[in-house]
Amino acid sequence: MHAYDFLGQWQRFVEELGFEAVVSEPTDRSMVEAGVRIAPAELCLPAKVFLGHVLTLKDRVDVLFIPRFVCRKMLGDRFYGCPKAIALPDMTRALIPGLPRVVELVIDERERSEERSYQDLAAGFGKNGSRWKQARAVSRGVPAVHPSPGPKEPGDRVRIGVVGHSYLVHDDVLSLAMLEKLAGAGVEAVLPNGGRASPAARPEFVPNWFFELDLIDAASRMTADGVDGLLLASSFACGTSPVTNNIVRRMVRERRPSMPVLEVYFDEHSAEAGLVTRLESFIDLLRAKGRGRR
Amino acid sequence: MRVAFPYMGRIHVPLEAILREVGAEPVVPGPPDREVLELGMRLAPEMMCIPFKLTLGNMVRCLDMGADVLAYTSGSWSCRYGYYGRLQQQILQDMGYEYRLLDLRHDQIPSIARLIVELNGGRFSRAVLRLARALRVGWYKSAAVEDAENLARLTAPLAKEPADARRLLDDVVAEVKRADRVPELVRLRSGLAERFRAVPTNGRERAPRVKVVGESYCTIEPFVSFDILRRLGEMGVWADPFLTGHRWLGFHGFRIGADELVRAKRAAREYWRYCVGGEDENSLGHLILAAGQGFDGVVHVHPFGCMPSTVVQPAMVKASQDFDIPYLSLSVDEHTSETGMHTRLEAFVSLLERRRARPAQPA
């Protein structure tokens, strides 16, 4: 689920240790369906699809790597992963019989530093000693994979801040290629940094979730930066989104009450036509407002 | 100072007494109802969990009754529950309500202590004495309610009229509310077993036993689960919740509760490595313990969309298969229908009865 932010790093790390890294293919409909079939109904779509990815990998590999993001220390406080991210390996083990050996990367800075976690990860792969140091040094600089298509036709340039988790907005199957649709309409999409960001200052009230810290911080910068509108893209049954969206809406109401905000929810039943209609009308609204100003 | 706190089960009985003893005026709105639910639904973000909506609606009622301090237990962790107080403050402030938020977190202990001293005219020793007395009275009240609730759950399935057990419980709770001195409460408590024994029985010897686990609010507050504990009692089942108001308040923790918690955590360890909230680890641990204690089944009640409860479900299903104990998961929200709940419970109970009737499997 953190693949769009960290996949490059992890892949390089594993290769530097001397293993072959097998990465699941980009999401497709059959993975979605396979995940949905075995997952509890109330799980969010990205977690269901994660299970779909595991199913395609489990018979092809000797060791399965699953990250577990528990706690990071930032801004003098502790920030946690969402419960689903924390329990991901446990849930996977309970749902999928016949898994290969699972090796976890546990990021829990209450107990050990991030560097130490990578040392433990290497040990999990059977590589003790200091080999991890070099692997980490080489891999940590690998950038995030954020394929973001730019606008295709120049024209009435509208800028929309897209506030959503990278594992949703960058996955074209989950988000029904929302970013591409925006680009196709000549819109410039402004995106958050993904799970890597560490903002300079803490927003006024932010719950202690590091992914949400990134989103709230990004929304606040976008608002100050003068985007024309905010698009809040969330997964249905995502537990943290209603909290984040509420905080973002409140922030907009205080700082730029005239800026339009659209909330869109995605799940396995989302239909493309519904999304297109909503995006089109939102973009039309922003253009009309823009013309009114000039 | 008029203090309100989220209403849940019968925790107001001891809390009311404690607040009064330390010199504050408690505001207790009465149990949630349809009106409170609708208020909460209107004000809360749609996708928030049901305990948030109900407590929010109830807090509006408290503020309308003149509360000027709202107290929440809180914390900063992975579950949404830790942020209830601060989120509700944003919503309530936007509505124009003014109050002081008392966020009961570890780092707030000094300011809470100062507040209690302030309430006692700035006299520290007096504040300490009153607090000690308050906790003592609170503990006895809480323990009396706990005992009565336990006895009622044991009595109902074997009673000729399950409603008799219920009526007796209501009477006892009213008496506990009225009693203000410890000796009175001690006397009341020691007579409870006798009083429940006097309820006419239906002649059955043993009722099937069901462990009820789940998210705290859904387990303790009857409104949200259509009073599942009582319902099971009426169906002839002894429902034993893993968590009660008494335990939730931590009064239990000083005694045998801590041991039990460690046992539950240890049992869950193989399936669950990190506690993420919503009593996930506890629920799972208690399911496994229940299998070893001869319970006939486990019912798991949780809010729709609750993050910890959703992720723990697959592990609960797996453990229930490994330990061969029937498991029913009930997800509740504002749209849950009472009839639907009832039907599922009935089906589950008849499954348990059939299992008990079948000959024992050769080991």
Side-chain angles (χ1 to χ4, degrees):
Chain A
M1 284 172 75
H2 317 279
Y4 286 96
D5 300 323
F6 296 102
L7 185 64
Q9 280 193 24
W10 293 333
Q11 192 174 353
R12 189 68 189 272
F13 186 78
V14 171
E15 284 166 359
E16 286 295 321
L17 289 178
F19 298 100
E20 184 195 347
V22 183
V23 181
S24 58
E25 315 293 319
T27 309
D28 61 37
R29 277 320 294 184
S30 69
M31 287 182 197
V32 177
E33 277 157 27
V36 166
R37 208 172 305 128
I38 61 168
E42 290 171 31
L43 207 59
C44 62
L45 182 60
K48 290 178 179 172
V49 172
F50 167 82
L51 295 165
H53 279 263
V54 172
L55 285 173
T56 67
L57 279 179
K58 79 174 178 95
D59 296 325
R60 293 198 279 150
V61 297
D62 303 313
V63 174
L64 189 65
F65 165 79
I66 304 181
R68 197 197 277 269
F69 276 55
V70 183
C71 180
R72 277 182 191 282
K73 285 188 177 157
M74 298 156 99
L75 306 172
D77 201 352
R78 290 166 172 179
F79 284 83
Y80 297 86
C82 88
K84 291 160 193 169
I86 298 177
L88 209 50
D90 292 330
M91 186 182 68
T92 311
R93 267 190 282 258
L95 281 172
I96 305 181
L99 279 185
R101 189 162 71 87
V102 174
V103 171
E104 297 177 13
L105 167 67
V106 183
I107 303 280
D108 187 351
E109 293 185 336
R110 292 173 304 182
E111 288 175 3
R112 62 186 90 81
S113 69
E114 188 168 350
E115 293 311 302
R116 183 66 209 276
S117 304
Y118 277 92
Q119 188 183 348
D120 292 350
L121 173 64
F125 283 118
K127 297 282 178 189
N128 292 312
S130 60
R131 195 151 167 202
W132 70 273
K133 273 190 190 156
Q134 203 221 330
R136 175 73 176 139
V138 176
S139 63
R140 68 179 308 158
V142 178
V145 193
H146 283 172
S148 58
K152 279 175 189 141
E153 49 188 71
D156 208 354
R157 184 64 72 84
V158 171
R159 293 174 71 227
I160 296 182
V162 179
V163 180
H165 298 126
S166 56
Y167 51 74
L168 175 70
V169 295
H170 291 300
D171 190 311
D172 283 346
V173 174
L174 297 198
S175 66
L176 305 170
M178 183 180 71
L179 292 182
E180 211 171 286
K181 291 191 171 72
L182 289 176
V187 168
E188 185 188 338
V190 184
L191 291 156
N193 293 326
R196 293 179 161 202
S198 183
R202 186 178 180 143
E204 182 194 357
F205 166 55
V206 56
N208 293 50
W209 290 308
F210 51 75
F211 279 110
E212 309 312 305
L213 173 67
D214 173 48
L215 295 189
I216 292 169
D217 177 59
S220 147
R221 275 185 291 112
M222 291 166 186
T223 308
D225 181 42
V227 293
D228 297 294
L230 279 187
L231 179 63
L232 311 181
S234 323
S235 313
F236 179 78
C238 170
T240 55
S241 292
V243 178
T244 305
N245 292 355
N246 203 50
I247 293 172
V248 170
R249 278 181 171 282
R250 197 166 186 268
M251 185 262 303
V252 171
R253 207 160 55 231
E254 266 170 23
R255 299 199 202 146
R256 275 183 65 194
S258 65
M259 180 172 70
V261 177
L262 175 69
E263 266 179 71
V264 187
Y265 283 92
F266 292 93
D267 70 4
E268 58 268 39
H269 310 297
S270 295
E272 195 145 6
L275 178 67
V276 171
T277 316
R278 301 193 64 190
L279 289 183
E280 276 174 357
S281 62
F282 188 56
I283 294 165
D284 286 347
L285 171 83
L286 297 180
R287 290 222 163 97
K289 268 180 77 87
R291 272 195 294 278
R293 257 205 318 273
R294 274 193 287 274
Chain B
M1 193 171 77
R2 294 168 61 86
V3 183
F5 49 86
Y7 190 98
M8 176 170 83
R10 295 192 179 88
I11 61 169
H12 59 280
V13 177
L15 288 183
E16 223 175 337
I18 292 174
L19 285 169
R20 203 169 287 133
E21 289 290 337
V22 297
E25 192 185 334
V27 178
V28 178
D33 51 27
R34 199 68 218 174
E35 194 188 85
V36 162
L37 176 62
E38 267 158 29
L39 197 59
M41 280 161 62
R42 207 171 59 233
L43 299 174
E46 187 194 347
M47 304 294 290
M48 278 304 278
C49 40
I50 185 81
F52 183 89
K53 295 177 183 171
L54 282 172
T55 47
L56 178 60
N58 241 326
M59 284 307 201
V60 172
R61 202 173 255 187
C62 293
L63 289 166
D64 289 340
M65 286 165 71
D68 50 25
V69 173
L70 302 190
Y72 292 81
T73 52
S74 160
S76 303
W77 59 82
S78 169
C79 165
R80 286 180 277 192
Y81 172 66
Y83 310 103
Y84 274 20
R86 283 165 286 169
L87 277 171
Q88 296 194 351
Q89 188 179 33
Q90 291 197 336
I91 295 169
L92 293 169
Q93 274 177 350
D94 289 349
M95 290 172 72
Y97 284 110
E98 275 174 32
Y99 65 93
R100 174 164 172 191
L101 169 67
L102 204 57
D103 222 13
L104 306 179
R105 275 182 289 167
H106 289 297
D107 57 341
Q108 299 286 320
I109 289 173
S111 71
I112 296 159
R114 265 200 303 280
L115 194 69
I116 295 175
V117 175
E118 207 179 291
L119 275 171
N120 288 284
R123 282 154 57 198
F124 184 75
S125 54
R126 190 178 126 114
V128 171
L129 276 176
R130 284 187 77 175
L131 182 63
R133 196 187 126 76
L135 290 177
R136 199 167 113 88
V137 173
W139 187 85
Y140 275 98
K141 287 209 176 201
S142 180
V145 172
E146 166 90 350
D147 284 355
E149 285 178 344
N150 280 339
L151 284 165
R153 284 191 293 264
L154 270 168
T155 310
L158 302 177
K160 209 157 123 197
E161 288 294 333
D164 289 347
R166 179 67 185 196
R167 255 193 303 278
L168 182 52
L169 173 62
D170 289 343
D171 291 348
V172 173
V173 171
E175 288 165 32
V176 174
K177 275 190 189 168
R178 279 197 302 271
D180 275 329
R181 293 179 45 251
V182 171
E184 268 178 88
L185 288 161
V186 172
R187 213 174 317 119
L188 188 83
R189 247 184 112 191
S190 62
L192 282 178
E194 191 72 27
R195 290 168 71 183
F196 276 93
R197 249 198 312 276
V199 174
T201 60
N202 58 13
R204 282 206 309 166
E205 280 189 0
R206 187 180 169 270
R209 296 199 294 161
V210 165
K211 194 86 189 173
V212 177
V213 298
E215 186 271 336
S216 338
Y217 190 87
C218 289
T219 313
I220 298 172
E221 172 53 52
F223 177 76
V224 59
S225 69
F226 299 104
D227 212 345
I228 184 168
L229 299 174
R230 175 184 176 184
R231 240 315 156 38
L232 284 167
E234 287 167 0
M235 291 176 180
V237 173
W238 173 36
D240 184 32
F242 81 121
L243 190 68
T244 58
H246 185 63
R247 290 165 179 228
W248 187 85
L249 285 171
F251 284 138
H252 198 73
F254 303 125
R255 322 193 99 214
I256 57 168
D259 279 6
E260 196 181 58
L261 196 67
V262 170
R263 277 211 311 280
K265 274 179 185 289
R266 203 174 296 145
R269 177 94 192 137
E270 193 194 328
Y271 298 89
W272 209 243
R273 305 289 161 77
Y274 278 88
C275 178
V276 290
E279 301 293 340
D280 55 348
E281 195 178 32
N282 258 337
S283 293
L284 180 56
H286 276 278
L287 175 135
I288 296 167
L289 292 180
Q293 291 161 351
F295 276 85
D296 296 280
V298 174
V299 175
H300 182 203
V301 209
H302 50 89
F304 174 81
C306 168
M307 296 188 281
S309 301
T310 308
V311 276
V312 82
Q313 259 183 59
M316 307 262 312
V317 172
K318 181 97 188 340
S320 77
Q321 289 163 352
D322 293 351
F323 288 86
D324 191 30
I325 184 163
Y327 163 76
L328 174 69
S329 157
L330 294 171
S331 161
V332 295
D333 73 357
E334 58 267 38
H335 306 298
T336 306
S337 99
E338 185 164 7
T339 325
M341 280 279 278
H342 196 175
T343 313
R344 299 184 63 191
L345 276 183
E346 265 180 351
F348 187 66
V349 169
S350 54
L351 174 123
L352 299 185
E353 277 160 1
R354 284 174 80 130
R355 264 175 70 101
R356 290 189 73 183
R358 81 180 177 189
Q361 303 269 329

